[in-house]
Amino acid sequence: MSLSSSSKITDLFEDFKTGLLLIKLVNILSGSNLQPERGKMEIHHRTNISRALEALSKVDPQHGISISAIYEGNPKLTLALVWHLILRYSHLHEGDMMGVSAEVHCKNWCGKNTDGYVGLENIEKDFLGTWVTGLVLPAIINRSNPELIDYRDLYYNKSPEERFEISFDVS
């Protein structure tokens, strides 16, 4: 399963609110086959978010992210959710986090994996602001597989929304 062209990300905090893209992402990362509710009411959206968080709870029972935080588009907790997904499904060693908060570990990891990329010089100081630019995810993808994303083109020629869309399309 991949994120299709109908799975466009224009605003990470808004686009996770229905839970549909979140379920797709969890299915891709975990190999699950979660089935989303297709309704357009709040209860359907919250159910989808709940299913995705339940799947995450199986590998990270103490993630501490609530359905309401994602549904309400809380930027800090939405990014925390993305970090938990990265952490749990990229097989980072839990020993790496000994004595370090998840927030600090996330900032350090992102800083290390985006070092040298234009526009990301202050990622550890302005973490949220840097993510909003749409440059972090393409830099991480480019670092691991430069053929998937032309980072310079994204940086100079694309809007934050287009950067998110391209990043999710190739991931």
PDB file of all heavy atoms in Angstrom, residues 108-124:
ATOM      1  N   ASN A 108      17.723  16.072  18.265  1.00  0.00           N
ATOM      2  CA  ASN A 108      19.097  15.656  17.948  1.00  0.00           C
ATOM      3  C   ASN A 108      19.144  14.767  16.710  1.00  0.00           C
ATOM      4  O   ASN A 108      19.994  14.935  15.844  1.00  0.00           O
ATOM      5  CB  ASN A 108      19.735  14.934  19.138  1.00  0.00           C
ATOM      6  CG  ASN A 108      20.009  15.854  20.300  1.00  0.00           C
ATOM      7  OD1 ASN A 108      20.059  17.073  20.158  1.00  0.00           O
ATOM      8  ND2 ASN A 108      20.162  15.278  21.478  1.00  0.00           N
ATOM      9  N   TRP A 109      18.225  13.811  16.652  1.00  0.00           N
ATOM     10  CA  TRP A 109      18.183  12.890  15.516  1.00  0.00           C
ATOM     11  C   TRP A 109      17.907  13.653  14.228  1.00  0.00           C
ATOM     12  O   TRP A 109      18.576  13.451  13.218  1.00  0.00           O
ATOM     13  CB  TRP A 109      17.118  11.819  15.755  1.00  0.00           C
ATOM     14  CG  TRP A 109      17.077  10.758  14.695  1.00  0.00           C
ATOM     15  CD1 TRP A 109      17.802   9.611  14.657  1.00  0.00           C
ATOM     16  CD2 TRP A 109      16.273  10.765  13.507  1.00  0.00           C
ATOM     17  NE1 TRP A 109      17.498   8.891  13.516  1.00  0.00           N
ATOM     18  CE2 TRP A 109      16.560   9.579  12.801  1.00  0.00           C
ATOM     19  CE3 TRP A 109      15.346  11.647  12.981  1.00  0.00           C
ATOM     20  CZ2 TRP A 109      15.942   9.263  11.596  1.00  0.00           C
ATOM     21  CZ3 TRP A 109      14.727  11.332  11.772  1.00  0.00           C
ATOM     22  CH2 TRP A 109      15.030  10.149  11.101  1.00  0.00           C
ATOM     23  N   CYS A 110      16.903  14.538  14.254  1.00  0.00           N
ATOM     24  CA  CYS A 110      16.577  15.313  13.056  1.00  0.00           C
ATOM     25  C   CYS A 110      17.734  16.237  12.686  1.00  0.00           C
ATOM     26  O   CYS A 110      18.052  16.390  11.502  1.00  0.00           O
ATOM     27  CB  CYS A 110      15.292  16.117  13.266  1.00  0.00           C
ATOM     28  SG  CYS A 110      13.819  15.083  13.259  1.00  0.00           S
ATOM     29  N   GLY A 111      18.360  16.855  13.691  1.00  0.00           N
ATOM     30  CA  GLY A 111      19.514  17.711  13.418  1.00  0.00           C
ATOM     31  C   GLY A 111      20.641  16.948  12.751  1.00  0.00           C
ATOM     32  O   GLY A 111      21.245  17.414  11.783  1.00  0.00           O
ATOM     33  N   LYS A 112      20.910  15.753  13.264  1.00  0.00           N
ATOM     34  CA  LYS A 112      21.979  14.919  12.704  1.00  0.00           C
ATOM     35  C   LYS A 112      21.650  14.485  11.275  1.00  0.00           C
ATOM     36  O   LYS A 112      22.515  14.472  10.403  1.00  0.00           O
ATOM     37  CB  LYS A 112      22.170  13.688  13.600  1.00  0.00           C
ATOM     38  CG  LYS A 112      23.270  12.755  13.149  1.00  0.00           C
ATOM     39  CD  LYS A 112      23.424  11.616  14.128  1.00  0.00           C
ATOM     40  CE  LYS A 112      23.185  10.337  13.374  1.00  0.00           C
ATOM     41  NZ  LYS A 112      23.178   9.155  14.177  1.00  0.00           N
ATOM     42  N   ASN A 113      20.400  14.168  11.028  1.00  0.00           N
ATOM     43  CA  ASN A 113      20.014  13.644   9.720  1.00  0.00           C
ATOM     44  C   ASN A 113      19.676  14.724   8.696  1.00  0.00           C
ATOM     45  O   ASN A 113      19.363  14.398   7.548  1.00  0.00           O
ATOM     46  CB  ASN A 113      18.848  12.662   9.867  1.00  0.00           C
ATOM     47  CG  ASN A 113      19.338  11.352  10.431  1.00  0.00           C
ATOM     48  OD1 ASN A 113      19.922  10.547   9.726  1.00  0.00           O
ATOM     49  ND2 ASN A 113      19.161  11.158  11.727  1.00  0.00           N
ATOM     50  N   THR A 114      19.719  15.987   9.109  1.00  0.00           N
ATOM     51  CA  THR A 114      19.493  17.086   8.163  1.00  0.00           C
ATOM     52  C   THR A 114      20.680  18.045   8.145  1.00  0.00           C
ATOM     53  O   THR A 114      20.610  19.095   7.503  1.00  0.00           O
ATOM     54  CB  THR A 114      18.206  17.868   8.521  1.00  0.00           C
ATOM     55  OG1 THR A 114      18.334  18.417   9.835  1.00  0.00           O
ATOM     56  CG2 THR A 114      16.980  16.977   8.437  1.00  0.00           C
ATOM     57  N   ASP A 115      21.753  17.668   8.814  1.00  0.00           N
ATOM     58  CA  ASP A 115      22.940  18.518   8.873  1.00  0.00           C
ATOM     59  C   ASP A 115      23.457  18.812   7.466  1.00  0.00           C
ATOM     60  O   ASP A 115      23.584  17.915   6.631  1.00  0.00           O
ATOM     61  CB  ASP A 115      24.032  17.823   9.696  1.00  0.00           C
ATOM     62  CG  ASP A 115      25.229  18.726   9.923  1.00  0.00           C
ATOM     63  OD1 ASP A 115      25.026  19.906  10.229  1.00  0.00           O
ATOM     64  OD2 ASP A 115      26.370  18.233   9.770  1.00  0.00           O
ATOM     65  N   GLY A 116      23.703  20.089   7.203  1.00  0.00           N
ATOM     66  CA  GLY A 116      24.236  20.489   5.913  1.00  0.00           C
ATOM     67  C   GLY A 116      23.183  20.866   4.887  1.00  0.00           C
ATOM     68  O   GLY A 116      23.522  21.319   3.796  1.00  0.00           O
ATOM     69  N   TYR A 117      21.913  20.705   5.219  1.00  0.00           N
ATOM     70  CA  TYR A 117      20.848  21.055   4.277  1.00  0.00           C
ATOM     71  C   TYR A 117      20.465  22.524   4.449  1.00  0.00           C
ATOM     72  O   TYR A 117      20.224  22.992   5.557  1.00  0.00           O
ATOM     73  CB  TYR A 117      19.619  20.164   4.476  1.00  0.00           C
ATOM     74  CG  TYR A 117      19.798  18.796   3.864  1.00  0.00           C
ATOM     75  CD1 TYR A 117      20.426  17.779   4.564  1.00  0.00           C
ATOM     76  CD2 TYR A 117      19.349  18.553   2.573  1.00  0.00           C
ATOM     77  CE1 TYR A 117      20.606  16.530   3.994  1.00  0.00           C
ATOM     78  CE2 TYR A 117      19.523  17.300   1.995  1.00  0.00           C
ATOM     79  CZ  TYR A 117      20.147  16.299   2.710  1.00  0.00           C
ATOM     80  OH  TYR A 117      20.332  15.073   2.137  1.00  0.00           O
ATOM     81  N   VAL A 118      20.394  23.232   3.319  1.00  0.00           N
ATOM     82  CA  VAL A 118      20.023  24.642   3.304  1.00  0.00           C
ATOM     83  C   VAL A 118      18.615  24.792   3.879  1.00  0.00           C
ATOM     84  O   VAL A 118      17.720  24.022   3.564  1.00  0.00           O
ATOM     85  CB  VAL A 118      20.051  25.191   1.853  1.00  0.00           C
ATOM     86  CG1 VAL A 118      19.602  26.631   1.811  1.00  0.00           C
ATOM     87  CG2 VAL A 118      21.424  25.033   1.251  1.00  0.00           C
ATOM     88  N   GLY A 119      18.446  25.778   4.746  1.00  0.00           N
ATOM     89  CA  GLY A 119      17.142  26.046   5.337  1.00  0.00           C
ATOM     90  C   GLY A 119      16.885  25.308   6.629  1.00  0.00           C
ATOM     91  O   GLY A 119      15.872  25.544   7.284  1.00  0.00           O
ATOM     92  N   LEU A 120      17.786  24.412   7.012  1.00  0.00           N
ATOM     93  CA  LEU A 120      17.578  23.614   8.222  1.00  0.00           C
ATOM     94  C   LEU A 120      18.676  23.834   9.259  1.00  0.00           C
ATOM     95  O   LEU A 120      18.877  22.998  10.131  1.00  0.00           O
ATOM     96  CB  LEU A 120      17.471  22.130   7.853  1.00  0.00           C
ATOM     97  CG  LEU A 120      16.293  21.797   6.937  1.00  0.00           C
ATOM     98  CD1 LEU A 120      16.339  20.333   6.522  1.00  0.00           C
ATOM     99  CD2 LEU A 120      14.971  22.124   7.598  1.00  0.00           C
ATOM    100  N   GLU A 121      19.337  24.954   9.169  1.00  0.00           N
ATOM    101  CA  GLU A 121      20.452  25.235  10.065  1.00  0.00           C
ATOM    102  C   GLU A 121      20.015  25.371  11.524  1.00  0.00           C
ATOM    103  O   GLU A 121      20.779  25.117  12.441  1.00  0.00           O
ATOM    104  CB  GLU A 121      21.172  26.525   9.637  1.00  0.00           C
ATOM    105  CG  GLU A 121      21.802  26.455   8.264  1.00  0.00           C
ATOM    106  CD  GLU A 121      20.831  26.723   7.116  1.00  0.00           C
ATOM    107  OE1 GLU A 121      19.657  27.077   7.345  1.00  0.00           O
ATOM    108  OE2 GLU A 121      21.263  26.561   5.959  1.00  0.00           O
ATOM    109  N   ASN A 122      18.766  25.769  11.766  1.00  0.00           N
ATOM    110  CA  ASN A 122      18.288  26.023  13.135  1.00  0.00           C
ATOM    111  C   ASN A 122      17.288  24.992  13.620  1.00  0.00           C
ATOM    112  O   ASN A 122      16.499  25.274  14.508  1.00  0.00           O
ATOM    113  CB  ASN A 122      17.649  27.420  13.206  1.00  0.00           C
ATOM    114  CG  ASN A 122      18.662  28.505  12.979  1.00  0.00           C
ATOM    115  OD1 ASN A 122      19.769  28.449  13.507  1.00  0.00           O
ATOM    116  ND2 ASN A 122      18.297  29.484  12.166  1.00  0.00           N
ATOM    117  N   ILE A 123      17.322  23.786  13.069  1.00  0.00           N
ATOM    118  CA  ILE A 123      16.309  22.793  13.400  1.00  0.00           C
ATOM    119  C   ILE A 123      16.255  22.472  14.894  1.00  0.00           C
ATOM    120  O   ILE A 123      15.178  22.309  15.454  1.00  0.00           O
ATOM    121  CB  ILE A 123      16.474  21.506  12.568  1.00  0.00           C
ATOM    122  CG1 ILE A 123      15.246  20.613  12.753  1.00  0.00           C
ATOM    123  CG2 ILE A 123      17.760  20.793  12.900  1.00  0.00           C
ATOM    124  CD1 ILE A 123      15.145  19.487  11.771  1.00  0.00           C
ATOM    125  N   GLU A 124      17.383  22.429  15.553  1.00  0.00           N
ATOM    126  CA  GLU A 124      17.366  22.078  16.970  1.00  0.00           C
ATOM    127  C   GLU A 124      16.896  23.237  17.843  1.00  0.00           C
ATOM    128  O   GLU A 124      16.415  23.017  18.944  1.00  0.00           O
ATOM    129  CB  GLU A 124      18.738  21.567  17.397  1.00  0.00           C
ATOM    130  CG  GLU A 124      19.056  20.232  16.713  1.00  0.00           C
ATOM    131  CD  GLU A 124      20.413  19.681  17.083  1.00  0.00           C
ATOM    132  OE1 GLU A 124      20.745  19.679  18.276  1.00  0.00           O
ATOM    133  OE2 GLU A 124      21.133  19.260  16.164  1.00  0.00           O
TER     134      GLU A 124
END
